[in-house]
Each structure stands twice: as structure tokens, then as C-alpha cells.
Amino acid sequence: MKRISAFAFVALSIAAAAVPVAGEVSSETFPTALIVNAATCPLMPDGVTSITGDGVLTIQVRTTTNKNGAHIGVHVDGHGTATDNNGDTWRWSDADIFEPGSVNESGKKLTQTIIEGFHLIGPRGAQIRIQGVFHVTVVDGQTIVEIEKGNESAANEPCEGFVF
């Protein structure tokens, strides 16, 4: 199994945007596992060392082209359940919006705004939340990521724990 981070997913979205197909919509739903552990997730509540579960993710990709260039939008929606090392039940949901992504006519520049919303809700008010709004710009292969708000970061990324 391979783990994929939101940043890796952004890279995949950027690659997909590089060769757009005008007016195409595709959607795929697939099962996913969730594995979160205290060794890699700094947001883990006290007394919880691991949370494992499963669920489904749906990824929808839309591409269009107009006079300003090609545009790509990606929506990720998911949900599922998990159990922690204490036997308690958790529920998770993920809603990510990668939109709008636009590539100029030369294909050398991409801009995209990403909204991240991951929630892992456990017993007695325990929770892990990763939220953020950030902007990605790629010019001639150089990637610039600007975080507008939220706690989305490379350090917190393992808390999402998706396994594909």
C-alpha cells in the first residue's frame, strides 16, 4: 500500500492540468484505509496511540478551456469509520477543493487555490482537524505554495493517514 499526501495529490492535479481535455468530467469512487499513529501525528489526543479504519473517497475532475487558457477543478469527498487503540469508535470525513486551476496557453504557468477540510471525530470530544486555504503557483516548473490560513502543513499531513 502506498500513502499519498495532499501535497502529492496537488502534484498529480498539476500534472493532470498540464494536458487538459476541454469539457471533460470524470469521477471515481474507491475504498481507502485510514492509519494514524502518535509517532507521526502531532495532533493525536493524549492516551491515543493509533487510529485505524476505512471508508470511501470520491474524486471528481473537471476540465474546461476558454480564451484565458485551460482550467481544471478537483473535488475530493470521503468518509468512514475507525477504531483507536482503546477500542473507541471514530468517524472521519474529508472534503478538499482544488479549484480553479488554470494553465496559460504556453502551459508554463499554473495557478490553483486549495481548500482542505479533514475531520477525525472521536469519543468525549476528542478530534483531529486539518483545515486550510492555500494557493499554489507553478511557473516554469518552480512551485510556490502560499498558506492563507489553517493548520495544513507537512508536519500535520500524516494525521490524515490515507492509505491507497
Side-chain angles (χ1 to χ4, degrees), residues 4-163:
I4 186 168
S5 69
F7 286 107
F9 190 73
V10 170
L12 292 173
S13 297
I14 290 168
V19 186
V21 177
E24 184 174 300
V25 177
S26 63
S27 183
E28 182 84 25
T29 299
F30 53 93
T32 185
L34 182 78
I35 301 173
V36 183
N37 66 65
T40 57
C41 175
L43 304 176
M44 192 74 84
D46 290 339
V48 179
T49 59
S50 66
I51 302 171
T52 59
D54 56 23
V56 295
L57 282 175
T58 299
I59 299 176
Q60 181 183 69
V61 179
R62 291 179 329 281
T63 57
T64 58
T65 303
N66 64 24
K67 66 180 180 152
N68 297 319
H71 303 275
I72 183 168
V74 179
H75 289 193
V76 178
D77 293 300
H79 63 277
T81 59
T83 304
D84 67 23
N85 57 288
N86 301 313
D88 291 320
T89 299
W90 292 66
R91 304 232 184 271
W92 65 267
S93 67
D94 190 42
D96 302 330
I97 302 171
F98 300 75
E99 180 134 30
S102 61
V103 179
N104 67 4
E105 285 184 25
S106 69
K108 294 185 177 188
K109 181 177 180 185
L110 169 87
T111 58
Q112 191 165 51
T113 297
I114 301 165
I115 301 170
E116 166 70 44
F118 175 79
H119 303 93
L120 185 55
I121 309 298
R124 299 171 293 284
Q127 58 184 297
I128 295 172
R129 291 179 182 253
I130 300 176
Q131 297 175 302
V133 176
F134 49 103
H135 310 283
V136 177
T137 302
V138 179
V139 180
D140 292 329
Q142 177 79 19
T143 303
I144 301 165
V145 178
E146 299 171 327
I147 297 175
E148 184 176 312
K149 62 181 176 178
N151 68 338
E152 171 67 46
S153 69
N156 290 340
E157 191 65 36
C159 297
E160 290 190 55
F162 293 119
V163 179

